[in-house]
Amino acid sequence: MAGILILHTGGTIGMRLGAHGLQPDPEFCATLQVHLKQVLTPQQPVSIKTLAPIDSANLQPAHWQNMAHALLENWDDYTGIVILHGTDTLAWSASALSFMLQGADKPVIFTGAQIPLARSGSDAPANLRLALHAAAQPQLRETCIAFGGSLLRGNRARKTSAQNFAAFTSSNYPTLGAVSDDGIPAFHVERFLPAGQKSFSIPHFRPRAVALLPLYPGVSGDSVRALLANPELRAIVLQSYGSGNVPDSDTDFIDSLHTAHARGILLANSTQCPHGRVTQGAYATSHVLDQLGVIPLADMTPEAAHAKLHFLLASTDNRPQIVADLQRSLAGEVSPFVSPSTPPLPQPV
Ligand code: ASP
């Protein structure tokens, strides 16, 4: 067991200009080989494997299974893994892999780029350098994102910039590492996940089982009923306001949640705020959710919540187990839950 596996799945890093815009470059792996030899010169041997590269806007939950299978086929042959992925849905994939690879004994590092590797001025070399460094850290045993000079826990990160090199932010968990001005990465080992029991599972995802519903002024019961028209729907993650609030004075909207609940749809609550947590019941406008049995997701990102629900629903039909697992950390994706009586007042930084 030695060396790093790079698994290419697509994204801007490996794109070139086509007739209608950027698209996957079929020659990318050859370009990457040359780059690794001439520019990056990694300390460890590197092997490259590829799945059919996509623009990650086309990602489906089934792609998570393909990625996980490709990793597990080669798991014991490498000390660390780097996955090249489009940035658009990278946070979802990093979350999904973190749940499938619980108790991993080596690093799985997602990276990509805002500018293709083959173009001058690309951020890809710096991202690859950090990813390869992180993939060689023996104490790192989790799924991460190396991007824009930061190493982030994968299931805590969100894409927060469409163009900036620092495209990802982890607002509710500190960075696991960062590249200093002199280009040397430093890692915060004390923030890494502790070693855990290896428990890998690649369930068969049902692509339409989970929906996200962002709230906005004017949202109505029709939005919920439109989701319920999908017969395969099993769960809805509300992206609520602030501390977990919903328009409780809109009786049609609340009725539609009751209808969903009565149909057996699992309802969960994550905040649409980039930072902070759901404290359901702190405001009267979220009290109704407690009555409905909506599961508050504390400081989990909507991406992690969506991927986690997919993972849990594909893994078991045991509803109490799903509800219990949703509310505890499986892979560092959520901070300990706090009592709803915690005041919702701003906390000093
Ligand atoms: N659309 C691209 C993708 O997600 C964007 C990127 O990679 O930065 O595949």
Side-chain angles (χ1 to χ4, degrees), residues 11-13 15 54-57 85-89 113-114 159:
T12 298
I13 191 166
M15 287 190 180
I54 58 166
D55 185 310
S56 78
H85 194 292
T87 59
D88 289 346
T89 54
Q114 295 280 38
K159 182 174 178 180

Side-chain angles (χ1 to χ4, degrees), residues 153-173:
R153 178 165 296 158
N155 55 34
R156 290 293 197 151
R158 308 192 71 186
K159 182 174 178 180
T160 47
S161 177
Q163 281 88 29
N164 288 353
F165 284 178
F168 290 88
T169 309
S170 168
S171 298
N172 286 330
Y173 195 79

